[in-house]
Amino acid sequence: MVTNRLLIDIVLPEGNWARDVTIMQPDILIQVEEQMMLDDNIAALRITIQGSGSKQALQILENNELVQFTAIYEEMGKNIELSIIAEGMSILHKSLKKSGQILQTPYVIKDGHATWTFLTDRNGALKVKDALKEFAIEHQIIAFGAHRDTRLLTPRQRDIFDAAVYNGYYDKPRRITLTKLADNMEISKSA
C-alpha cells in the first residue's frame, strides 16, 4: 500500500465551538494537539490558543454553551495551552467514523476553518471525500501526494511555521511582519 498525505481545508459547521471562537476572535488560531471522542457528540481535547487575542478567545471559549469544561495547563505570553470537553462534534465525528480514516494531530483551526491531515492511500482519500460530502461538510482538498515518514521540523518549529502560514507571513502582500510574528509568539526574531 502506498501511503500518501491528504490535506483538506474543512469549513467547520455552524454551532461548532472552534468555529465560533475563531470567527469572533480572528487574530488567533487554535491548534488541536490531541483529541478523543467521549461519545458521538462530545470530545475531550488538548488545545493551544495562539495569538494576541488569546485571552479574549479563552473568555469566549469559556462562555460558549458547547464547552462543558476547561482546564488551563500553561499560559506562555500570547499562547494558552488547555484541555476542554466540548459538545457539538457529532457531524465531524460521524464523517470521520464513516471514512474509517485516522485524523492526524496536531491540526490548526483559523477563521472557522480546520486544516485536516490524513495518511492514507487513494481509496482512503476517496472515503474521506465521500464521507465529508455525505454529511454536507464544506471542504476543499489542498494536497494529496507522496508522504515521507521523516520529519524535517521539530514540533516547536512546526508550530512557528504553522503560525507564520496562518498569520499571512507568506502571503503576497504579507499580512504580518517577521517582527510582529515573533512578538506575537514571544520568541526572538532570529528563532
Side-chain angles (χ1 to χ4, degrees):
M1 175 177 85
V2 176
T3 302
N4 292 296
R5 180 174 166 258
L6 173 63
L7 186 63
I8 301 179
D9 175 69
I10 303 290
V11 178
L12 295 173
E14 287 189 34
N16 178 280
W17 65 271
R19 176 188 169 109
D20 294 346
V21 172
T22 58
I23 286 177
M24 292 174 73
Q25 199 65 41
D27 59 337
I28 61 106
L29 66 85
I30 295 174
Q31 182 161 303
V32 177
E33 309 292 347
E34 298 175 279
Q35 75 177 32
M36 177 178 68
M37 293 306 297
L38 302 177
D39 69 19
D40 279 344
N41 192 43
I42 300 174
L45 304 104
R46 185 172 59 88
I47 65 172
T48 304
I49 303 172
Q50 302 174 6
S52 59
S54 61
K55 291 189 188 312
Q56 295 88 340
L58 178 61
Q59 289 176 342
I60 294 167
L61 180 71
E62 290 176 331
N63 292 326
N64 188 301
E65 63 186 27
L66 297 173
V67 177
Q68 299 176 355
F69 171 82
T70 60
I72 297 172
Y73 294 133
E74 186 175 8
E75 289 190 49
M76 305 157 284
K78 296 177 182 172
N79 297 335
I80 302 171
E81 186 177 342
L82 66 151
S83 66
I84 68 169
I85 296 178
E87 294 180 57
M89 304 293 288
S90 65
I91 205 93
L92 298 172
H93 177 62
K94 287 177 184 175
S95 70
L96 289 172
K97 196 173 175 181
K98 175 90 177 183
S99 76
Q101 303 303 304
I102 298 172
L103 174 62
Q104 301 293 299
T105 55
Y107 64 88
V108 175
I109 301 166
K110 174 100 175 124
D111 296 325
H113 291 246
T115 304
W116 284 359
T117 302
F118 298 88
L119 299 180
T120 187
D121 60 7
R122 180 170 165 65
N123 188 41
L126 291 171
K127 287 179 181 179
V128 170
K129 184 178 177 227
D130 291 344
L132 292 170
K133 192 174 186 179
E134 179 180 330
F135 289 96
I137 298 171
E138 191 178 334
H139 64 282
Q140 179 180 359
I141 295 176
I142 298 169
F144 180 70
H147 169 71
R148 288 186 299 156
D149 207 16
T150 57
R151 295 186 183 231
L152 299 176
L153 301 174
T154 67
R156 180 65 179 148
Q157 289 170 328
R158 183 63 195 201
D159 289 347
I160 294 168
F161 175 75
D162 288 343
V165 169
Y166 285 97
N167 284 295
Y169 179 75
Y170 296 106
D171 291 357
K172 295 205 188 295
R174 285 193 171 131
R175 290 186 291 133
I176 192 168
T177 65
L178 185 58
T179 302
K180 181 71 175 161
L181 180 64
D183 183 50
N184 286 352
M185 298 192 73
E186 295 191 341
I187 58 175
S188 70
K189 189 175 168 181
S190 61

